[in-house]
Each structure stands twice: as structure tokens, then as C-alpha cells.
Amino acid sequence: MPRKASRRVREPIQVYLDSDERALLDRVAVETGLSRAEVLRRGLRSYAAGRPGAKSPMLEFLDYMKSRTDLDLPADLAERHDDYLAEAYEDTHEQ
């Protein structure tokens, strides 16, 4: 089965690792079933999110949603989010 082409533009980058770092990378890749590149990408995102002063992805999402004045969201969305999610999940009409 051919691999599905990614829609994201990727740029190759060269990284030098010592033998212990390479062994760790290989071990994590095998244990998780991820490619070495994906392990490095996830590690980078995790490192960036954990830096002092770094904004969490959830806070970035909340700021983004707050800036969306074009959305007509119900006033009780926070209280009834499960209800709205269930309604959206059950909604099978064609758009």
C-alpha cells in the first residue's frame, strides 16, 4: 500500500548525535513504532511547550477562538459542551 503524501511542506535538516543519543533515538522509535523523524519532531514540540514562559497549545487555541468574532457560539457552551458535542456527533445531515 503506498504511503499517503503529506500536505505539509517538510524541510530536511541534518543533526549530529553521539552514539548514546542515537541509541536512545532508535530505542524510542522502536518502542513507540514511530519513525526517528517523528520522535524528533515530537520531542522538539514537547521541549518548546515546556520552556519557561512558553504558551501552552491549549492557551494558544483559546486565544485563537477568542479572536474569532465570526463564530456564533452558544453562551452556555462551557457548561453544556458534552451536549453540543453529542448533538454534532449525531448530526448526519449533508452539508
Side-chain angles (χ1 to χ4, degrees), residues 8-67:
R8 298 187 318 189
V9 175
R10 297 188 182 221
E11 177 183 348
I13 186 168
Q14 187 170 357
V15 177
Y16 293 95
L17 302 174
D18 65 26
S19 60
D20 289 341
E21 292 166 336
R22 177 59 188 261
L24 176 60
L25 177 60
D26 289 341
R27 188 177 82 240
V28 171
V30 167
E31 289 173 357
T32 61
L34 299 171
S35 69
R36 291 186 305 253
E38 183 60 21
V39 170
L40 291 172
R41 283 190 288 270
R42 290 183 183 195
L44 175 62
R45 288 190 296 266
S46 177
Y47 177 79
R51 288 184 0 255
K55 203 170 207 181
S56 77
M58 182 53 75
L59 288 177
E60 288 182 10
F61 172 72
L62 291 173
D63 285 345
Y64 168 75
M65 290 303 291
K66 188 176 180 180
S67 73

Side-chain angles (χ1 to χ4, degrees), residues 49-91:
R51 288 184 0 255
K55 203 170 207 181
S56 77
M58 182 53 75
L59 288 177
E60 288 182 10
F61 172 72
L62 291 173
D63 285 345
Y64 168 75
M65 290 303 291
K66 188 176 180 180
S67 73
R68 295 287 309 266
T69 58
D70 60 320
L71 299 177
D72 185 25
L73 300 174
D76 63 349
L77 181 61
E79 293 175 9
R80 295 192 51 228
H81 61 277
D82 287 334
D83 297 329
Y84 288 113
L85 183 59
E87 289 173 20
Y89 183 73
E90 293 171 358
D91 188 0

